[in-house]
Amino acid sequence: MEIRIDEECRRILATRAPAAGDLRLIVAAMKTITDLERIGDETEKIGRLASRLATVRRPSTNFRELLNLAQHVRGMIRDALDVYARLDVQQGLEVMKADKVVDEEYEAIARQSLTFMLEDPRTITREMDLSWAARALERIGDHTKNICEHAIYMAHGTDVRHTSLRSVESEVSQAGGMKEASR
């Protein structure tokens, strides 16, 4: 499907020479499908790791931290797709803020796994699989944030990638003010 969408976008670019908002829509669509493809790749990796983790003795926490992280990321994906469909920039900013929480949860899981491995070397394989699954969820959070950045680009024509969240909020509020003034 990714290839079909890319081909359709290239065909539109070549035959219609879109400008302004239409061009932003096509560029954002091409970038978004790449992020969705990578989310799928990470999800596949999580599936492989989960199948291995299901065969080993579970810790007393029963992977609760990983479950919390997964639920958080799942909500982010749902919200990001809504942001993209509605071009809801404010909700996009909220999803981008939520990525910070995902990063913190991932770091906590990584630290906890390292501690368990040091305390009991027999847990190394399980904890490494758990860490890789947490890392994949963290990457999904990053791709989800990217989708919101693409939606902001479509809505405002402002590229907010590699920009601090505070700067993004400022640029979005300025762009919103300019649109209000032009009405």
Side-chain angles (χ1 to χ4, degrees), residues 64-85:
R64 188 173 304 118
E65 297 83 5
L66 192 61
L67 179 62
N68 290 340
L69 179 58
Q71 289 173 340
H72 192 85
V73 169
R74 184 177 59 198
M76 282 179 64
I77 292 170
R78 182 189 58 244
D79 291 346
L81 293 174
D82 191 48
V83 165
Y84 188 84

Side-chain angles (χ1 to χ4, degrees), residues 72-128:
H72 192 85
V73 169
R74 184 177 59 198
M76 282 179 64
I77 292 170
R78 182 189 58 244
D79 291 346
L81 293 174
D82 191 48
V83 165
Y84 188 84
R86 298 174 190 266
L87 298 181
D88 183 343
V89 174
Q90 291 307 315
Q91 186 179 7
L93 291 170
E94 293 305 313
V95 173
M96 292 170 69
K97 289 176 187 174
D99 184 53
K100 295 286 185 201
V101 175
V102 167
D103 294 344
E104 291 167 2
E105 287 181 24
Y106 163 69
E107 290 294 329
I109 290 171
R111 280 191 306 275
Q112 183 182 41
S113 290
L114 183 59
T115 301
F116 288 152
M117 287 187 278
L118 291 172
E119 289 176 357
D120 184 359
R122 294 174 296 180
T123 66
I124 289 175
T125 301
R126 179 188 68 212
E127 293 301 325
M128 288 299 297

Side-chain angles (χ1 to χ4, degrees), residues 3-75:
I3 293 169
R4 256 193 344 237
I5 294 170
D6 268 346
E7 287 173 359
E8 184 64 21
C9 288
R10 282 192 295 269
R11 186 188 65 73
I12 291 169
L13 285 171
T15 60
R16 300 200 181 182
D22 292 336
L23 182 58
R24 288 195 310 266
L25 172 69
I26 292 168
V27 169
M30 293 176 80
K31 290 179 174 292
T32 298
I33 60 170
T34 300
D35 281 309
L36 289 172
E37 172 69 22
R38 290 182 179 155
I39 287 171
D41 294 343
E42 295 294 340
T43 302
E44 183 180 346
K45 185 187 309 178
I46 292 168
R48 284 192 311 272
L49 291 166
S51 123
R52 275 204 320 243
L53 283 167
T55 65
V56 298
R57 185 174 163 269
R58 293 180 180 198
S60 60
T61 63
N62 204 19
F63 305 120
R64 188 173 304 118
E65 297 83 5
L66 192 61
L67 179 62
N68 290 340
L69 179 58
Q71 289 173 340
H72 192 85
V73 169
R74 184 177 59 198

